[in-house]
Amino acid sequence: MYKRLARANGHVWTLDLRGLQGAVELGVVSSREGIDLWGVDFATPGGMVGLTCLIRSWAAERGPVLLEPPVDEVAGYMVRMDFFKHLESIITLNRNLTHLNGRCRRSAPLSEIQRVQNNGGVTEVTKCFGDILASASVGEAEVRHCKQVLSESL
């Protein structure tokens, strides 16, 4: 498969629409050979949507698609975006990603885009933001500063 050559040559690419097109042309992403994301150093939402469309069409034709996930930093982002979860019935991963489950999205209201209509909303969002930072062992002074900046921005 191409991945051995890609690894040997250090082929690195971005999972965006242009990078995805190049990967298809090079055979890194193939309906027959599978999808080698090992060399992906950055993923964009547009690239993940494009890849999802390819995977869905290939899976409809041939069954589950073999997928080699990218390095953990990029795979962690894709896990947070539920990329693998949405496709779990039509892909076969050649590597276990359970160690990345702790990197999932937070259930806090900040994980969704919110409109702040009044001072109460500003207070609620900045408090939630401060709680997230504090639980991540960020210093108290930094938390106060970040909350102030966020409050002023909102």
Side-chain angles (χ1 to χ4, degrees), residues 69-77 80 95-97 99-100 103:
V71 294
D72 282 355
E73 292 78 18
V74 179
Y77 170 72
R80 286 191 304 277
R95 181 166 58 102
N96 189 329
L97 298 177
H99 66 286
L100 299 174
R103 298 182 183 190

Side-chain angles (χ1 to χ4, degrees), residues 28-40:
V28 175
V29 174
S30 165
S31 64
R32 288 184 175 78
E33 296 292 324
I35 299 170
D36 182 3
L37 300 178
W38 182 86
V40 172

